[in-house]
Amino acid sequence: MPEWTKFPDRPVRIAFLLFDEFSNLCLANCIEPLRAANTLTHVHAFDWRIVTMDGRTGRSSSGIDILASAALSQVGAVDYLFVLASYAHESHDTSANRRMLRTAARRAEVTVGLDSGPWLLASAGLLSGRRATVHWDLLDAFTERFLDVEASQARVLKDGPYMTCAGAMSALDLTLDLIAEHLGLSARLDVEALFLHGDPPVGKADEAVADPMV
């Protein structure tokens, strides 16, 4: 059974690595729940920073520029490294990027691939022999390209120190799970309620409207 409330010893350190043409919705569905968890619990439980491969501004698929605080090579040890890529992922699949991803993954307790991010992780050899998912539009090509990865049409998968996520809405599911893991189920439910996620609780007024016999 999940714990109702937890109190972390220190903030959870997260780096969001952006590749150009990333999904801004995917990023927001990770950062906003973390921000809400900090606000609602009055605890600085999650500490994050935005990084890119070279430290320059990252541009989303919708043309929104996001200022990076550092280059990936400047990031030290983190609890989670989120790799966000969406469109143009094949153009980011270079030998230099693969090498840098392998180095960065060694400094992370858990490495998370979002949307087409798992493609870059797999190409770097980080998912060999593991179960993984990817955006479902890429699943067939991913399966054919990475024969050493057990690909599955799932929303979120965790295998060892790696997590993979199929896309923007499943990124919200993944982040809510992280909130529950580090702050407890109460914090997760509070964040879900703030964002109107899931079904609302049924009150007496709702029951009266829903029951045609009343």
Side-chain angles (χ1 to χ4, degrees):
M1 293 292 293
E3 294 184 44
W4 186 249
T5 303
K6 293 183 179 181
F7 300 95
D9 296 329
R10 59 167 177 80
V12 178
R13 301 161 300 178
I14 302 174
F16 290 99
L17 171 62
L18 307 184
F19 285 90
D20 280 346
E21 298 292 309
F22 72 93
S23 164
N24 196 59
L25 180 58
C26 210
L27 177 63
N29 278 347
C30 294
I31 288 183
E32 285 303 310
L34 298 177
R35 187 273 311 161
N38 285 350
T39 300
L40 293 172
T41 61
H42 305 287
V43 174
H44 186 63
F46 299 100
D47 189 15
W48 59 85
R49 64 192 306 196
I50 302 293
V51 303
T52 56
M53 297 300 283
D54 56 9
R56 298 178 182 176
T57 298
R59 172 160 288 193
S60 75
S61 58
S62 55
I64 297 176
D65 291 331
I66 304 294
L67 184 65
S69 64
L72 180 62
S73 61
Q74 299 171 312
V75 176
V78 294
D79 297 297
Y80 295 93
L81 170 65
F82 281 68
V83 178
L84 281 82
S86 295
Y87 301 97
H89 62 280
E90 291 180 308
S91 69
H92 302 309
D93 187 10
T94 65
S95 58
N97 285 348
R98 290 192 291 269
R99 186 167 55 250
M100 292 178 69
L101 282 173
R102 287 192 291 268
T103 299
R106 289 195 290 269
R107 298 195 297 265
E109 291 293 325
V110 178
T111 301
V112 185
L114 302 172
D115 213 347
S116 69
W119 185 290
L120 301 181
L121 298 183
S123 188
L126 297 171
L127 301 181
S128 297
R130 299 187 183 277
R131 298 175 65 238
T133 190
V134 68
H135 194 287
W136 294 350
D137 285 349
L138 299 175
L139 189 59
D140 289 343
F142 184 91
T143 301
E144 294 172 2
R145 171 68 173 79
F146 303 108
L147 301 179
D148 57 346
V149 180
E150 185 182 343
S152 176
Q153 190 174 14
R155 294 175 63 83
V156 178
L157 281 176
K158 187 175 190 301
D159 191 337
Y162 298 97
M163 298 180 71
T164 51
C165 174
M169 302 315 296
S170 49
L172 177 58
D173 297 331
L174 184 153
T175 307
L176 290 171
D177 286 344
L178 292 187
I179 291 170
E181 179 178 347
H182 293 284
L183 287 175
L185 184 58
S186 176
R188 175 187 176 130
L189 293 176
D190 285 344
V191 172
E192 286 184 342
L194 180 65
F195 292 116
L196 306 182
H197 181 66
D199 295 327
V202 178
K204 291 184 178 180
D206 298 315
E207 291 175 345
V209 172
D211 189 342
M213 298 302 293
V214 175

